[in-house]
Amino acid sequence: MEPTLIMETSPGNYQWVYYYSDFVTPEWGAGMATAAAAAANLGDPFVRLRSHHWWRLPGSLPADKRIEREDKARKEGVAPDYTPARLVWASWKTFTYAEVAAGLGIDPKPEETKAHKGSIEYDAETGEQDVVLQWYRANHKVGRPDRRGWHKITCPNHEQHTNQRETTAGYVPPNAKSRGAFKCQHAHCDGVKMAHLRRWVASQGGPTVAEAEAYARRVEPPVVVDMPLTDLPPGALPIGSEHLLPMPPRAIEPRTLDLWPASTLHGLSVPPRQWHVQDMVPDATVTLLGGDGGTGKSLLALQLAVATALGRKWVGIDARQGAALYVSAEDDKAELHRRLSDIARAEDVALSDLSGLHVASLAGEDALLATAEPNGVMIATQLLDLVRERVEALRPKLIVLDTLADLFGGNENDRSQARQFIGMLRGIAIKFQCAVVVLSHPSLTGMASGTGSSGSTGWNNSVRSRLYLSRPDDEDGGDTDGRVLQVKKANYGPVGDEVALRWVKGVFIKSGGAGFVSADGAYLGDVVAEEAFLKLLDEMNKQDRRVSSSGGKNYAPSLFATNPDNEGVSKKRFQRAMERLLASGRIEITKEGPPSKRVEKIQKVTKTDKSFYPEPSNGSANEVPLDL
């Protein structure tokens, strides 16, 4: 079988070399191939005694015999023979293990598939340049290596350790003398191998699996089959010894740890916190947007993506401008087309203006971004790698992932898996400085309690912000088109703020200005609710319809919440507004009717005292901005 290349290691001694196209472990690569060659009498008996041995590179010296040759030359008083291996022919073709085995015409014996039990050799110069080890040094504790090259590192599965110890794993980086190794001493980690380690490192924002394997292939010793050279393959052309491998090892700059005393910050301007949406969606991290089924969270998130691409407000609130990536696992292309058409109409733009918005529909497809291994470790899928590649190319300011149930391939009640998955997404957000918004469904308990939570507490604890879209309280028949967007968690901003929304002709608009931010940074949602209360109270009094503060059929908050002119204010917000108006003296409770049948009535206090109204921040009239 025509090899990848042929080397002359010494005069008259040739080696045929086969490159593997995929990364293979010693037991399945070198061991089986060399054993097969030995069984076919294609090599010397040496390969029968070991499951694998290391190769030489074209142009290299026989390092294993260098000392022996130098000692012999010293005794004989002559110069040592440093003749390098010469590359005499090459096709540069790569093979799978199956192709190598088939070409040799040998089915390996079962015992030849067992792992080689020999000692691990280590070359520090090439090992210390390993991209995985450098990432570990920059992000985790790494112990000093022993003489065999074992470094103590953080185990990818450390959260499953009963003692919570992290550095119970050992790692030998791939190097010029061995293919490297990974082993954790914890019982839960019996199934965690080198491949798991590389996928976990990639999921944490480190080198990709392809980058790690590429470095390994450049420095690890390949498989060599020794055989006499009788005839070169057809078309073979001699190649001079100056021609070496086509891909020389890549120079990798060593990682450093930049430590600085906090005192150096004195006198420097404090960098402002970056937001994608002020006090709601922080930049460079992950936000969860939850909502009951059918509330419209996908539409609301798509509106955010459009607002980002256009540089417009999102339901009346400023959003950071830039490219946006929207990945939907729920809606097909036709549905997304319809929604985008409605949003474009509402924004008074054409669909051709949305070149900054990039959309992918995965409806009906495998949309998992990560799956769980039997030991609980979350492993990134090829789809997540594709998303990461598109993010690197597009550099969006916003990524929307819809929805968590379709994208997460683990157990949502497992805290460790939840944190690992959010950690993968946070790695993308930090690396590319963009906001990531993940849509989710609440559990029945979360819906009933109004918290909007679901599954493990790891979801809520891992994200920096969590929003919840729900319908306003409508036990008395509220507006079915009304919605309330609430801030349920905010590590960097206020918690409890809410924005009243209303669905109108296929899009959500801000209703009544709730959530509007004034020039001095104060929220005017409470003012809007109070003004709406006073407006409806005037209408009721003009119609000679009595409203009360003590419940019953005339309970003012219930009646106002069902009124078409309620500005999107919910019953609870009307209740709070009524209490504030009573406390401030802007409304009062009176009694009317005969002494035997007095009834309660709410009415406005006819005063012009300026203290009843908030001072305008810009010196203009006391107007409440509305964005309808």
Side-chain angles (χ1 to χ4, degrees), residues 260-271:
W260 40 266
S263 58
T264 60
L265 299 178
H266 178 70
L268 300 180
S269 300
V270 179

PDB file of all heavy atoms in Angstrom, residues 260-271:
ATOM      1  N   TRP A 260      -1.484  43.063  39.187  1.00  0.00           N
ATOM      2  CA  TRP A 260      -1.229  44.473  39.451  1.00  0.00           C
ATOM      3  C   TRP A 260      -1.858  44.843  40.779  1.00  0.00           C
ATOM      4  O   TRP A 260      -2.902  44.342  41.160  1.00  0.00           O
ATOM      5  CB  TRP A 260      -1.798  45.351  38.338  1.00  0.00           C
ATOM      6  CG  TRP A 260      -3.134  44.904  37.814  1.00  0.00           C
ATOM      7  CD1 TRP A 260      -3.361  44.115  36.742  1.00  0.00           C
ATOM      8  CD2 TRP A 260      -4.425  45.206  38.372  1.00  0.00           C
ATOM      9  NE1 TRP A 260      -4.705  43.896  36.576  1.00  0.00           N
ATOM     10  CE2 TRP A 260      -5.384  44.556  37.562  1.00  0.00           C
ATOM     11  CE3 TRP A 260      -4.866  45.960  39.468  1.00  0.00           C
ATOM     12  CZ2 TRP A 260      -6.740  44.641  37.811  1.00  0.00           C
ATOM     13  CZ3 TRP A 260      -6.224  46.030  39.706  1.00  0.00           C
ATOM     14  CH2 TRP A 260      -7.143  45.375  38.882  1.00  0.00           C
ATOM     15  N   PRO A 261      -1.185  45.743  41.517  1.00  0.00           N
ATOM     16  CA  PRO A 261      -1.750  46.178  42.805  1.00  0.00           C
ATOM     17  C   PRO A 261      -2.972  47.059  42.585  1.00  0.00           C
ATOM     18  O   PRO A 261      -3.014  47.880  41.658  1.00  0.00           O
ATOM     19  CB  PRO A 261      -0.596  46.958  43.443  1.00  0.00           C
ATOM     20  CG  PRO A 261       0.267  47.376  42.296  1.00  0.00           C
ATOM     21  CD  PRO A 261       0.138  46.305  41.256  1.00  0.00           C
ATOM     22  N   ALA A 262      -3.963  46.887  43.427  1.00  0.00           N
ATOM     23  CA  ALA A 262      -5.198  47.665  43.296  1.00  0.00           C
ATOM     24  C   ALA A 262      -4.941  49.161  43.416  1.00  0.00           C
ATOM     25  O   ALA A 262      -5.710  49.977  42.895  1.00  0.00           O
ATOM     26  CB  ALA A 262      -6.214  47.215  44.345  1.00  0.00           C
ATOM     27  N   SER A 263      -3.875  49.535  44.098  1.00  0.00           N
ATOM     28  CA  SER A 263      -3.580  50.957  44.290  1.00  0.00           C
ATOM     29  C   SER A 263      -3.299  51.669  42.967  1.00  0.00           C
ATOM     30  O   SER A 263      -3.421  52.895  42.881  1.00  0.00           O
ATOM     31  CB  SER A 263      -2.382  51.120  45.222  1.00  0.00           C
ATOM     32  OG  SER A 263      -1.242  50.446  44.697  1.00  0.00           O
ATOM     33  N   THR A 264      -2.934  50.905  41.929  1.00  0.00           N
ATOM     34  CA  THR A 264      -2.658  51.542  40.635  1.00  0.00           C
ATOM     35  C   THR A 264      -3.915  52.083  39.978  1.00  0.00           C
ATOM     36  O   THR A 264      -3.838  52.827  39.006  1.00  0.00           O
ATOM     37  CB  THR A 264      -1.982  50.541  39.683  1.00  0.00           C
ATOM     38  OG1 THR A 264      -2.872  49.419  39.476  1.00  0.00           O
ATOM     39  CG2 THR A 264      -0.671  50.041  40.253  1.00  0.00           C
ATOM     40  N   LEU A 265      -5.085  51.698  40.496  1.00  0.00           N
ATOM     41  CA  LEU A 265      -6.337  52.200  39.942  1.00  0.00           C
ATOM     42  C   LEU A 265      -6.655  53.611  40.415  1.00  0.00           C
ATOM     43  O   LEU A 265      -7.543  54.270  39.865  1.00  0.00           O
ATOM     44  CB  LEU A 265      -7.499  51.280  40.330  1.00  0.00           C
ATOM     45  CG  LEU A 265      -7.404  49.830  39.847  1.00  0.00           C
ATOM     46  CD1 LEU A 265      -8.597  49.038  40.352  1.00  0.00           C
ATOM     47  CD2 LEU A 265      -7.315  49.769  38.342  1.00  0.00           C
ATOM     48  N   HIS A 266      -5.925  54.062  41.441  1.00  0.00           N
ATOM     49  CA  HIS A 266      -6.207  55.382  42.000  1.00  0.00           C
ATOM     50  C   HIS A 266      -6.032  56.464  40.935  1.00  0.00           C
ATOM     51  O   HIS A 266      -5.020  56.523  40.229  1.00  0.00           O
ATOM     52  CB  HIS A 266      -5.276  55.667  43.172  1.00  0.00           C
ATOM     53  CG  HIS A 266      -5.471  57.037  43.769  1.00  0.00           C
ATOM     54  ND1 HIS A 266      -6.593  57.365  44.491  1.00  0.00           N
ATOM     55  CD2 HIS A 266      -4.688  58.160  43.721  1.00  0.00           C
ATOM     56  CE1 HIS A 266      -6.501  58.631  44.876  1.00  0.00           C
ATOM     57  NE2 HIS A 266      -5.362  59.135  44.418  1.00  0.00           N
ATOM     58  N   GLY A 267      -7.023  57.315  40.821  1.00  0.00           N
ATOM     59  CA  GLY A 267      -6.958  58.420  39.880  1.00  0.00           C
ATOM     60  C   GLY A 267      -7.436  58.089  38.489  1.00  0.00           C
ATOM     61  O   GLY A 267      -7.565  58.992  37.654  1.00  0.00           O
ATOM     62  N   LEU A 268      -7.708  56.804  38.203  1.00  0.00           N
ATOM     63  CA  LEU A 268      -8.181  56.413  36.876  1.00  0.00           C
ATOM     64  C   LEU A 268      -9.702  56.493  36.821  1.00  0.00           C
ATOM     65  O   LEU A 268     -10.390  56.274  37.823  1.00  0.00           O
ATOM     66  CB  LEU A 268      -7.733  54.992  36.538  1.00  0.00           C
ATOM     67  CG  LEU A 268      -6.220  54.732  36.516  1.00  0.00           C
ATOM     68  CD1 LEU A 268      -5.950  53.278  36.162  1.00  0.00           C
ATOM     69  CD2 LEU A 268      -5.523  55.660  35.532  1.00  0.00           C
ATOM     70  N   SER A 269     -10.227  56.793  35.660  1.00  0.00           N
ATOM     71  CA  SER A 269     -11.672  56.827  35.469  1.00  0.00           C
ATOM     72  C   SER A 269     -12.238  55.419  35.583  1.00  0.00           C
ATOM     73  O   SER A 269     -11.680  54.460  35.027  1.00  0.00           O
ATOM     74  CB  SER A 269     -12.018  57.411  34.095  1.00  0.00           C
ATOM     75  OG  SER A 269     -11.529  58.743  33.977  1.00  0.00           O
ATOM     76  N   VAL A 270     -13.338  55.268  36.307  1.00  0.00           N
ATOM     77  CA  VAL A 270     -13.986  53.969  36.472  1.00  0.00           C
ATOM     78  C   VAL A 270     -14.711  53.626  35.175  1.00  0.00           C
ATOM     79  O   VAL A 270     -15.557  54.410  34.712  1.00  0.00           O
ATOM     80  CB  VAL A 270     -14.991  53.991  37.635  1.00  0.00           C
ATOM     81  CG1 VAL A 270     -15.678  52.633  37.771  1.00  0.00           C
ATOM     82  CG2 VAL A 270     -14.278  54.356  38.931  1.00  0.00           C
ATOM     83  N   PRO A 271     -14.383  52.496  34.552  1.00  0.00           N
ATOM     84  CA  PRO A 271     -15.040  52.149  33.290  1.00  0.00           C
ATOM     85  C   PRO A 271     -16.525  51.886  33.522  1.00  0.00           C
ATOM     86  O   PRO A 271     -16.901  51.195  34.474  1.00  0.00           O
ATOM     87  CB  PRO A 271     -14.307  50.883  32.837  1.00  0.00           C
ATOM     88  CG  PRO A 271     -13.720  50.310  34.084  1.00  0.00           C
ATOM     89  CD  PRO A 271     -13.400  51.479  34.967  1.00  0.00           C
TER      90      PRO A 271
END
